[in-house]
Amino acid sequence: MKRDYKTLIGGEWLTTGQTMDVVNKYSGEVFATVPLADKELTVRAIDCAARAFTTFRKAPAHQRAKVLEKASELLLVRAEEIARTIALEAGKAWKFALNEVQRSAETFKFAAEEAKRGHGEMLPMDASRFGENRLGYFIREPIGVIGAITPFNFPLNLVAHKVAPAIAAGNTVVLKPASSTPVSAILLAEVLDEAGLPPGVFNVTIGSGATVGDTIVTHPDCRKITFTGSVAVGGEIIKKAGIKKVTLELGNNSATIIEADADLAKAAARCVVSAFANSGQVCISLQRIYVNQRVIEKFTEIFLDKVTALKVGDPLDRDCDVGPMIDARERERIDAWVKEAVAQGATIAAGGRAEGRVYLPTVLMGVTEDMKVMCLEAFGPVVSIVAYDDFAETLARVNDSDFGLQAGIYTSDINKALTAVEELNVGGVMINDTPTFRVDQMPYGGNKLSGLGREGVRFAMEEMTNIKVVVINRN
Ligand code: NAP
């Protein structure tokens, strides 16, 4: 049954003059409507957040922690309902949707804990001759209104990664979720409201990037912008934001190296999940697999067996592995990239076509580094397997990318693993794992075009606070 949602602004649940349909990405049916914000309402939300900040900035840490802890509990109480919403609006297979809710609950739990640790440091003032007889320390203070803009692929946990640390640090938030997946954000607002978050601390404005997004980015009272999404939009945001803090979590064309001494069965099993979970629409989805040519035949055989066993179809089926892509445009784009690769000499070892709204898990062989499926971010269920014989040269091939988010290496040789850590220009190296590994307390973010700054609750809190230094003169 279709549900008409309201949105939370300034502590009130509102409808607006205009609504937007939200569709089930598998069936195409409308399952919800949400209220659309215009520029005026977005400015009102920012004003509410700015007013709320005047008191919330002084809310004691134990109170902030209590609300975050309660939100974490409520997310788990409502886990099945919220997972269903994620499966419907994002097309994410049930088991991964449920994972996302459980991870979001953890993100809030970590934030509840970190809220109590927002301490500063004493400074060794007398390390300078000019600082003698002075007592110095610094504290971290909340910045103010945080403008948060999020993508469609983790409609709950990527919102949680902005909202939970913002609240933990004493900020207030105006959130613009992705237009294709706004309902999870509304459900999170319901949870935070029930958890006792004061009015105006969290506000949700749904609407296009050009109106709502642009208003948030350019408004002088949004003192920090935290954005997760594409390089193109991130680039626009950094140009428009002006003098304010900006965190950008952008894309990647993630690679894993499989050395000849790796446990091939374990590696292949992880690689399949990493390439095809959420139809490859994950910023750290596995896109390039470099396999030592001594073991490529064996690896590919195990890998393809597991790909063929994937269950594709309706994300609401409890045993579904791969659901639909977010929309027809994305499905057609990925199909065009696969066809182009084939025209340039690649061969299809699995998939290579759509089945309804699902693009089948696709494995390419015989690719070259200049094909779009290799050098751009695919953000779809397509992975390429490439043979190599020289380890050092392969590290250079992994690095030969505009991106630098995370990379993986499978080897039982500690020296090779540590060489990879030293040489790879990325924000994270996963040893005996794929680049897709993430838990929510670890620092997460990329180098080069993959972005600026880091998330992961404690690290996001650092990005969402200003340092204030205090010096007491005892001379
Ligand atoms: P997107 O098209 O860049 O959209 C992201 C958000 O930006 C959406 O809310 C979008 O609104 C909004 N937006 C669009 N134009 C804007 C503008 N001019 N000003 C302000 N906001 C604007 O990305 P997506 O397709 O949703 O997500 C896919 C991308 O996200 C991939 O590149 C992926 O790698 C990246 N991603 C990165 C991470 C990470 O942590 N590094 C995690 C997940 C995803 P509308 O929806 O209304 O257009």
Side-chain angles (χ1 to χ4, degrees):
M1 206 183 68
K2 182 162 86 59
R3 183 174 155 192
D4 301 319
Y5 287 89
K6 294 181 176 176
T7 195
L8 183 67
I9 293 176
E12 285 178 61
W13 285 97
L14 303 176
T15 53
T16 60
Q18 239 193 319
T19 60
M20 184 179 70
D21 290 341
V22 186
V23 295
N24 172 334
K25 301 302 181 290
Y26 182 67
S27 68
E29 280 162 26
V30 175
F31 77 95
T33 69
V34 292
L36 272 183
D38 55 11
K39 187 176 163 99
E40 205 184 334
L41 187 61
T42 309
V43 170
R44 195 169 123 200
I46 296 168
D47 290 346
C48 289
R51 265 198 309 281
F53 180 66
T54 58
T55 48
F56 194 65
R57 63 186 269 266
K58 294 181 186 160
H62 70 91
Q63 278 178 16
R64 284 179 268 133
K66 201 170 155 201
V67 171
L68 292 161
E69 181 83 42
K70 183 75 188 161
S72 172
E73 286 165 22
L74 291 172
L75 281 169
L76 292 177
V77 169
R78 294 179 64 178
E80 297 243 333
E81 171 208 351
I82 301 175
R84 185 181 153 78
T85 302
I86 294 173
L88 289 174
E89 71 173 352
K92 186 172 289 185
W94 170 260
K95 59 187 164 191
F96 297 117
L98 191 61
N99 261 349
E100 182 172 349
V101 184
Q102 289 159 347
R103 281 183 58 189
S104 305
E106 274 202 352
T107 304
F108 273 89
K109 177 110 177 115
F110 287 129
E113 289 157 2
E114 288 299 333
K116 301 174 199 160
R117 298 185 197 125
H119 49 70
E121 264 176 44
M122 295 303 296
L123 296 166
M125 297 305 293
D126 63 355
S128 162
R129 173 161 78 82
F130 306 108
E132 281 177 27
N133 280 317
R134 281 175 167 81
L135 182 69
Y137 63 95
F138 72 79
I139 52 173
R140 287 191 171 272
E141 293 191 322
I143 292 179
V145 180
I146 309 274
I149 302 177
T150 50
F152 72 82
N153 62 334
F154 283 82
L156 186 70
N157 200 30
L158 289 179
V159 174
H161 265 290
K162 301 187 182 316
V163 177
I167 294 171
N171 296 292
T172 59
V173 182
V174 177
L175 167 78
K176 191 208 101 57
S179 295
S180 48
T181 56
V183 184
S184 305
I186 293 181
L187 296 184
L188 181 63
E190 287 178 3
V191 160
L192 283 165
D193 198 23
E194 193 184 336
L197 193 69
V201 174
F202 180 46
N203 307 273
V204 182
T205 49
I206 298 160
S208 75
T211 52
V212 175
D214 197 67
T215 306
I216 290 173
V217 169
T218 54
H219 197 292
D221 284 350
C222 288
R223 293 312 309 150
K224 179 190 167 77
I225 302 300
T226 171
F227 170 78
T228 300
S230 62
V231 174
V233 175
E236 261 185 66
I237 286 176
I238 199 106
K239 277 191 229 143
K240 285 188 182 164
I243 301 176
K244 56 180 75 166
K245 285 197 177 196
V246 178
T247 296
L248 301 176
E249 296 285 349
L250 311 175
N252 203 35
N253 59 344
S254 309
T256 279
I257 297 173
I258 314 280
E259 260 294 87
D261 56 15
D263 181 328
L264 296 184
K266 273 191 189 164
R270 275 291 289 162
C271 284
V272 170
V273 178
S274 304
F276 300 118
N278 203 24
S279 287
Q281 300 165 120
V282 180
C283 48
I284 38 177
S285 188
L286 180 58
Q287 187 174 332
R288 301 180 283 157
I289 311 180
Y290 291 97
V291 188
N292 189 303
Q293 66 177 11
R294 283 190 279 143
V295 293
I296 193 164
E297 209 172 302
K298 182 81 194 144
F299 174 85
T300 308
E301 189 189 317
I302 309 172
F303 186 80
L304 288 176
D305 269 356
K306 291 188 180 301
V307 173
T308 328
L310 289 172
K311 180 146 194 280
V312 304
D314 188 341
L316 288 178
D317 285 348
R318 301 289 153 124
D319 55 352
C320 174
D321 295 302
V322 182
M325 290 190 71
I326 194 70
D327 57 33
R329 206 180 65 172
E330 280 298 283
R331 200 170 54 245
E332 283 155 18
R333 175 188 60 78
I334 206 71
D335 190 49
W337 285 23
V338 168
K339 289 203 164 84
E340 185 181 288
V342 170
Q344 291 166 342
T347 54
I348 296 174
R353 64 184 172 83
E355 206 172 82
R357 290 185 165 87
V358 179
Y359 198 79
L360 295 180
T362 298
V363 183
L364 296 176
M365 313 282 293
V367 295
T368 52
E369 236 86 44
D370 56 347
M371 293 177 183
K372 282 189 186 130
V373 289
M374 285 288 284
C375 67
L376 302 182
E377 179 185 37
F379 216 64
V382 176
V383 71
S384 298
I385 301 180
V386 185
Y388 75 86
D389 54 16
D390 185 288
F391 180 65
E393 189 193 277
T394 309
L395 291 175
R397 285 164 87 179
V398 171
N399 273 340
D400 185 19
S401 163
D402 290 337
F403 301 104
L405 190 45
Q406 294 200 147
I409 172 166
Y410 276 90
T411 179
S412 50
D413 180 338
I414 186 72
N415 285 322
K416 281 191 176 142
L418 293 178
T419 303
V421 171
E422 199 167 82
E423 294 301 324
L424 292 174
N425 185 2
V426 291
V429 177
M430 304 301 125
I431 297 165
N432 289 325
D433 213 331
T434 63
T436 320
F437 179 77
R438 181 183 187 188
V439 284
D440 300 284
Q441 75 277 29
M442 73 189 217
Y444 180 78
N447 302 347
K448 300 191 273 182
L449 290 191
S450 291
L452 292 176
R454 293 293 181 265
E455 287 193 339
V457 177
R458 179 182 133 208
F459 307 92
M461 282 173 74
E462 285 174 10
E463 309 264 351
M464 291 178 176
T465 45
N466 284 325
I467 284 180
K468 182 180 274 175
V469 67
V470 181
V471 180
I472 302 165
N473 184 356
R474 300 172 69 206
N475 286 301

